[in-house]
Amino acid sequence: MAQWVLALHLAIIAFNLSGLIVIPIGAWRRWAFVREPIWRLAHIVSMATVAVQAAAGRACFLTDWQDALSGAAAGQPLIMRWVNSVIFWPLPMWVFEALYLVLFAYTVALLWWVPPRLRGLERGR
């Protein structure tokens, strides 16, 4: 079960980070999906969840859940140890708190720089 939680955690990290990159590039390239309200809402809610946990000084609930399921690192499959080493860095918690809050501020700024398309509210309708 810990492997499934890790896979979910990795997917959410990929979604959050890719959104930070794809949204401005997609606006520049005029990709319509980057302005889709549901996609943008999912992205900002996911980033807000990370930022709120960081502001509260807490580890991600998925990290806690995975730790509870896997116990210690001993006995974990090689791929699980490798992925853990990629996403869990041995840095002080305040570094992550600051990073997550800066990334959330950037996500909010993207709402202004690349506003989602709100159907029926476009000019001329």
Side-chain angles (χ1 to χ4, degrees):
M1 184 68 167
Q3 293 170 336
W4 287 107
V5 174
L6 178 62
L8 174 64
H9 201 180
L10 192 58
I12 291 170
I13 291 168
F15 172 72
N16 286 345
L17 291 178
S18 66
L20 297 173
I21 297 165
V22 168
I23 291 168
I25 292 173
W28 173 64
R29 300 284 307 192
R30 297 178 196 232
W31 296 337
F33 82 92
V34 300
R35 294 185 186 271
E36 282 298 318
I38 297 298
W39 189 78
R40 294 295 293 278
L41 179 65
H43 187 251
I44 198 155
V45 165
S46 185
M47 291 297 294
T49 302
V50 172
V52 165
Q53 291 174 126
R58 295 192 42 121
C60 175
F61 66 91
L62 290 172
T63 300
D64 292 340
W65 191 16
Q66 180 189 342
D67 286 347
L69 290 171
S70 66
Q76 289 180 344
L78 176 62
I79 190 69
M80 191 171 178
R81 286 193 311 267
W82 179 80
V83 172
N84 278 333
S85 71
V86 169
I87 65 175
F88 300 116
W89 301 341
L91 298 172
M93 188 63 172
W94 69 265
V95 173
F96 295 104
E97 292 168 2
L99 177 64
Y100 296 152
L101 292 173
V102 166
L103 291 177
F104 181 66
Y106 173 64
T107 304
V108 171
L110 285 174
L111 285 175
W112 180 72
W113 291 328
V114 185
R117 179 180 55 249
L118 302 175
R119 290 182 178 91
L121 296 179
E122 293 103 12
R123 283 184 262 182
R125 290 199 180 197

